[in-house]
Amino acid sequence: MAKIAFILLCHKDPEAIIDQAQRLTATGDCMAIHFDARARPEHFEQIRKALEGNPNVTFARKRLKCGWGEWSLVQATLHAVEAAVEAFPRATHFYMLSGDCMAIKSSEYVHEYLDSNDVDFIESFDYFESDWIKTGWKQERLIYRHWFNERTQRRRFYAMFEIQKRLGLTRKIPADIQVQIGSQWWCLRRQTIEAVLAFTRQRPDVMRFFRTSWIPDETFFQTVVRHLVPETQIRSRTLTFLMFTDYGMPLTFYNDHYDLLLNQDYLFARKISPEATELKERLGRLYATKGVEFRISAEGPSLFRFMTERGRTGRRFGTRFWETESTLGRDRELLILVCKKWHVAKRLLNSIRRETEVPAIAYLFNEEGTELPDLGGIQATIGKRTRHRRALMRMLFDYYDTNRLAICLDPGALDLMLDFFGDRSTTRMLEIQCDFSDEYLIGHAMRIGLAGERTKRETLERLLPTIRQDIVHEGDRIRDAGFENHHRIRERDPVESFVEPLMAFLSAPRETAERIARTEHLFDD
């Protein structure tokens, strides 16, 4: 009978990881876990302590800091696979999962299915001939070298690409491999996994190639498995049910999707909402149940398209999730920098991004030109961003694949602050109080249209007390709102006093906060 070694890559929600490991190993299977080294150390320690007495759970010997689109995701998977191969010699199948996945069939059904299908399940379509990549780069992912993360080091990423393109520094694909592409959620037999690991040791040229390709988790295993295994022993499909919205984001499943999920011709599903507690409980009970018959109709994708084309909102299977989903996510943290001098907040934000690697976006609700990823048009204008603020933030959390995100807001955006602090997510604010010279306030009056180049000096001087009072009033409104997790630093205070507020705001160690507090020229105009 099949014995599955689940390969779990995760970076958040330790309680859910523990539950998932205990549930999947309770029926005799095993699991190897790679927990992202970027995540909180106390979360990994919580997982390790909870599972250290479980003989069917092991951990990758080396934890990596993983980033979307990077080789680190593939290397982390290989570390977990190596740990599983060594720890579980009786495992017959290796199944790739994320922390957002859950079984949508019983354990009995899953094992019978694998026993009846002696093949490898992995999407692997010809990279150049197929239309798996709908838009964006194709050959550029492979023929140029990519050393930086596109989401966290965007400028470096595209600068290196332009330099290589301008100088014609392309490279050849290893001659004997045919690059394939597909979903990273696979299920492979033991002999295939062992062949893949042997290949990684025997072909350093191929390993060097994929290490600097872009989004290699969609190509590495897909290519190597097709290179090593006869086509007759491969099913080019995934056993994990996932769909994408028309905004290119993974569709999230909620409590009322239970019947839909059970009817699909898949063994697991991704992504299950962290808030879908009833769905998780029902699927958890189902996994241990015996004798369940499943009526496979596989209507999920066609039903989803049908509902999407008719624009249903707020009802079952509706996809306009900014209308139906009212929270950023209970396990997420939104860090808000509030400052009237935007250049000051941007300098501090850059330091935070550099020292903590938390994705950070400047005044996205205040500046039209703020650099944002393409999210299907919802990011196009300030009006759209503001109307669909929570949807936009959820999409940014998903885009950066993170549970922590930092943004800047103007002190006048109290309505946005009230909305975000009213969410079930954790929201923290760092207010930066600056000193304002008369010359700065005159420049501010011109920037916001209260004055022009020809406005008389005496008129400007009459405006100054009102402008200064408006800024004070904005600060008073923020304090009167009584926000929790509201921290403050002031320009007139010594730099040493910034450390404690920064530690609390970022949940960061003192050394990190001290480096951020020493940001050069922070308050220079």
Side-chain angles (χ1 to χ4, degrees):
M1 184 176 180
K3 183 179 179 68
I4 307 169
F6 292 102
I7 307 301
L8 181 64
L9 262 60
C10 47
H11 65 278
K12 60 182 179 181
D13 202 353
E15 292 84 3
I17 300 304
I18 293 167
D19 289 343
Q20 189 180 41
Q22 291 173 338
R23 179 174 57 253
L24 294 178
T25 60
T27 57
D29 292 314
C30 41
M31 177 177 288
I33 299 174
H34 179 279
F35 194 70
D36 197 330
R38 293 185 194 274
R40 295 185 180 181
E42 61 268 25
H43 284 178
F44 177 67
E45 190 62 20
Q46 180 182 349
I47 294 170
R48 190 188 62 78
K49 284 186 177 180
L51 299 175
E52 62 184 356
N54 189 331
N56 289 332
V57 174
T58 190
F59 293 89
R61 290 184 177 178
K62 185 176 182 180
R63 294 171 58 212
L64 303 179
K65 292 182 177 180
C66 296
W68 184 88
E70 292 181 3
W71 170 256
S72 55
L73 285 173
V74 178
Q75 189 62 67
T77 304
L78 289 171
H79 285 329
V81 166
E82 289 166 351
V85 167
E86 181 178 344
F88 310 120
R90 298 179 62 189
T92 62
H93 294 75
F94 294 75
Y95 198 120
M96 179 80 172
L97 291 175
S98 76
D100 297 321
C101 296
M102 282 199 73
I104 56 175
K105 299 291 187 293
S106 65
S107 174
E108 181 181 62
Y109 182 97
V110 169
H111 289 84
E112 288 178 356
Y113 187 93
L114 295 179
D115 285 336
S116 302
N117 295 274
D118 185 21
V119 293
D120 294 310
F121 292 91
I122 181 169
E123 274 192 356
S124 51
F125 303 102
D126 186 277
Y127 188 90
F128 294 100
E129 298 299 327
S130 71
D131 63 347
W132 202 86
I133 298 176
K134 302 296 184 184
T135 60
W137 283 359
K138 197 164 190 175
Q139 66 175 1
E140 292 88 349
R141 294 192 188 188
L142 304 177
I143 65 173
Y144 295 106
R145 296 167 180 84
H146 304 281
W147 292 282
F148 300 104
N149 185 290
E150 190 264 348
R151 293 186 174 181
T152 61
Q153 298 172 293
R154 188 178 183 87
R155 289 184 180 178
R156 290 180 178 179
F157 179 89
Y158 286 106
M160 291 306 300
F161 167 71
E162 290 297 336
I163 290 171
Q164 293 178 81
K165 185 178 178 181
R166 193 174 301 121
L167 298 177
L169 299 177
T170 59
R171 60 176 176 175
K172 292 182 179 180
I173 297 170
D176 63 329
I177 67 169
Q178 184 177 4
V179 179
Q180 306 285 308
I181 192 167
S183 168
Q184 64 268 52
W185 310 112
W186 41 254
C187 178
L188 302 176
R189 297 167 298 171
R190 186 179 192 93
Q191 62 265 35
T192 301
I193 282 291
E194 291 175 344
V196 169
L197 293 179
F199 182 90
T200 64
R201 296 186 291 268
Q202 296 162 1
R203 294 295 302 271
D205 59 321
V206 176
M207 300 300 285
R208 282 194 300 270
F209 173 79
F210 279 107
R211 280 193 186 100
T212 51
S213 65
W214 189 42
I215 322 182
D217 54 314
E218 294 179 350
T219 55
F220 176 76
F221 283 98
Q222 296 78 356
T223 300
V224 174
V225 170
R226 182 70 71 169
H227 182 76
L228 297 172
V229 179
E231 184 175 1
T232 56
Q233 297 181 33
I234 297 175
R235 296 274 181 86
S236 187
R237 59 159 296 188
T238 175
L239 294 177
T240 299
F241 179 55
L242 67 162
M243 294 191 296
F244 290 88
T245 70
D246 48 0
Y247 288 89
M249 296 295 173
L251 184 67
T252 301
F253 298 109
Y254 299 96
N255 290 332
D256 64 348
H257 289 124
Y258 179 79
D259 294 328
L260 171 76
L261 293 175
L262 265 58
N263 291 342
Q264 305 313 307
D265 187 20
Y266 295 87
L267 306 182
F268 284 76
R270 183 182 188 273
K271 302 170 75 168
I272 306 298
S273 169
E275 286 78 39
T277 53
E278 180 186 339
L279 176 61
K280 289 183 176 182
E281 290 172 1
R282 295 179 74 184
L283 291 176
R285 290 195 300 268
L286 172 71
Y287 192 69
T289 305
K290 294 187 177 182
V292 180
E293 292 187 9
F294 295 91
R295 298 180 178 178
I296 306 300
S297 59
E299 84 290 355
S302 58
L303 178 60
F304 178 71
R305 285 193 299 271
F306 176 81
M307 294 302 185
T308 303
E309 289 167 359
R310 281 148 185 78
R312 291 209 16 193
T313 59
R315 293 194 289 266
R316 188 182 176 111
F317 308 133
T319 61
R320 301 282 184 173
F321 61 88
W322 56 82
E323 302 290 350
T324 60
E325 181 56 32
S326 60
T327 179
L328 304 184
R330 191 184 299 276
D331 61 335
R332 287 172 167 169
E333 295 182 24
L334 180 61
L335 309 176
I336 303 176
L337 279 176
V338 175
C339 185
K340 197 66 180 179
K341 290 187 177 181
W342 293 2
H343 58 279
V344 173
K346 289 177 182 179
R347 287 181 192 138
L348 194 64
L349 192 73
N350 287 333
S351 293
I352 290 171
R353 183 191 291 116
R354 183 174 60 252
E355 295 293 340
T356 67
E357 297 185 339
V358 172
I361 305 170
Y363 289 87
L364 71 165
F365 295 105
N366 303 105
E367 285 187 303
E368 197 83 59
T370 299
E371 190 172 313
L372 290 169
D374 184 357
L375 302 174
I378 194 174
Q379 84 294 342
T381 65
I382 288 179
K384 282 188 176 182
R385 298 173 203 168
T386 304
R387 282 196 304 275
H388 307 303
R389 60 195 71 168
R390 293 197 186 185
L392 175 67
M393 297 309 299
R394 284 186 66 88
M395 295 172 81
L396 288 170
F397 274 109
D398 288 340
Y399 177 84
Y400 289 107
D401 192 21
T402 183
N403 57 3
R404 305 186 79 204
L405 187 67
I407 65 171
C408 296
L409 288 181
D410 187 88
L414 183 64
D415 58 331
L416 292 170
M417 300 175 208
L418 290 168
D419 192 14
F420 291 138
F421 271 95
D423 191 79
R424 285 183 288 175
S425 61
T426 300
T427 304
R428 295 191 180 92
M429 177 192 295
L430 180 65
E431 184 184 0
I432 308 172
Q433 293 185 342
C434 300
D435 297 331
F436 298 95
S437 66
D438 286 351
E439 291 305 315
Y440 179 86
L441 292 179
I442 289 172
H444 174 69
M446 292 182 176
R447 284 190 294 274
I448 64 176
L450 288 177
E453 294 293 337
R454 298 184 179 180
T455 303
K456 293 181 179 179
R457 181 74 187 188
E458 50 267 32
T459 303
L460 290 172
E461 289 176 352
R462 286 198 299 270
L463 275 174
L464 290 181
T466 303
I467 296 172
R468 194 180 297 276
Q469 184 55 42
D470 280 348
I471 293 174
V472 172
H473 179 62
E474 288 175 349
D476 288 342
R477 291 177 69 206
I478 292 173
R479 283 184 286 281
D480 291 343
F483 295 126
E484 294 183 10
N485 302 318
H486 177 191
H487 310 284
R488 190 178 299 112
I489 62 175
R490 297 188 299 181
E491 179 178 357
R492 65 189 64 180
D493 293 340
V495 170
E496 294 75 19
S497 68
F498 299 173
V499 175
E500 293 293 338
L502 283 167
M503 288 174 62
F505 174 62
L506 297 169
S507 300
R510 178 173 292 275
E511 309 81 62
T512 301
E514 286 174 348
R515 290 195 295 272
I516 296 172
R518 292 194 294 269
T519 299
E520 292 185 358
H521 311 296
L522 178 59
F523 291 101
D524 289 356
D525 290 334

